[in-house]
Amino acid sequence: MSEVSGDRPDLPLRGGASVTDAVRRSAAWAILGVSAACALIVMVVGLPRYPLELLPWMLVYGAAVGVTAVILIRVPWHPLAVWLAIGSLISARDVLLPVLELQLASDAPAAPIALLVVLLQWVSVLPVIGVAHVLGLFPDGEVHHRYEGVALRLTWLILVFP
C-alpha cells in the first residue's frame, strides 16, 4: 500500500500506521456506528409510515456508508474517511430528526417541537462545513498552503450565524 503523502511524523505502530492514524480510524468507525444507529431508528420509526419517501435516502445512505467502510478498510490512514463518516452521520441526522419530529408532533406540546426545529436548523449547517473540508482537503487529505488551513478553520464561523 502506498501513501499519498511521504512524511509521516507520528509515532509508528505495527504495520507502518501511526498513533494519529489509529485514533482517526477508530473515531471514523465510531462515528459510522452512531450513524448506523440513527439510520436504524429511522428505518424502525419512519419506514412503516413513509416507505416511498425513505427508500431513495436508504439507498444513497447505504452507498455512502459502504464507500466510507471500504476507505477505512483499504486506506485506513486517509484523513477524508473521518469527514465521510461525519457526512453519513449528518445525513442520518437530517432524516432522523424530521421523522422523530413528525412522530412526536401528535403527542408532544408545541414548545419541545419548536426547540427541536430550531436545533435542526442550526445543526443543518454542518454539512456545509463538511463539504468544505472534503473539497479543501482533496485529494490527499492534507493542507498544502497556510491560507488553505485558515480558510478551512474559518468555515466553522458559519455556526455563529446559521
Side-chain angles (χ1 to χ4, degrees):
M1 179 177 358
S2 66
E3 294 181 4
V4 175
S5 62
D7 293 339
R8 306 290 308 241
D10 295 330
L11 297 172
L13 295 176
R14 187 171 39 146
S18 70
V19 172
T20 303
D21 294 340
V23 169
R24 184 180 293 133
R25 183 179 187 189
S26 298
W29 278 116
I31 293 167
L32 213 54
V34 171
S35 173
C38 290
L40 184 63
I41 294 170
V42 166
M43 288 183 242
V44 168
V45 173
L47 200 55
R49 294 180 74 184
Y50 314 104
L52 295 177
E53 292 86 350
L54 289 177
L55 185 60
W57 171 80
M58 288 175 16
L59 295 173
V60 172
Y61 173 80
V65 169
V67 166
T68 305
V70 166
I71 289 173
L72 284 169
I73 292 168
R74 304 263 329 222
V75 195
W77 53 267
H78 204 287
L80 290 182
V82 173
W83 287 107
L84 291 171
I86 290 170
S88 74
L89 178 59
I90 291 169
S91 173
R93 185 232 11 123
D94 281 346
V95 174
L96 174 64
L97 288 180
V99 166
L100 290 179
E101 178 184 319
L102 291 172
Q103 185 74 22
L104 294 173
S106 59
D107 301 333
I113 297 301
L115 178 63
L116 186 63
V117 169
V118 168
L119 289 174
L120 173 65
Q121 290 174 350
W122 185 73
V123 174
S124 65
V125 298
L126 289 176
V128 174
I129 296 169
V131 167
H133 278 78
V134 167
L135 293 175
L137 296 172
F138 188 79
D140 59 1
E142 294 184 10
V143 174
H144 296 284
H145 303 285
R146 183 180 172 154
Y147 69 87
E148 294 172 345
V150 170
L152 288 176
R153 283 191 292 280
L154 287 176
T155 61
W156 290 98
L157 290 176
I158 295 171
L159 292 176
V160 176
F161 305 105

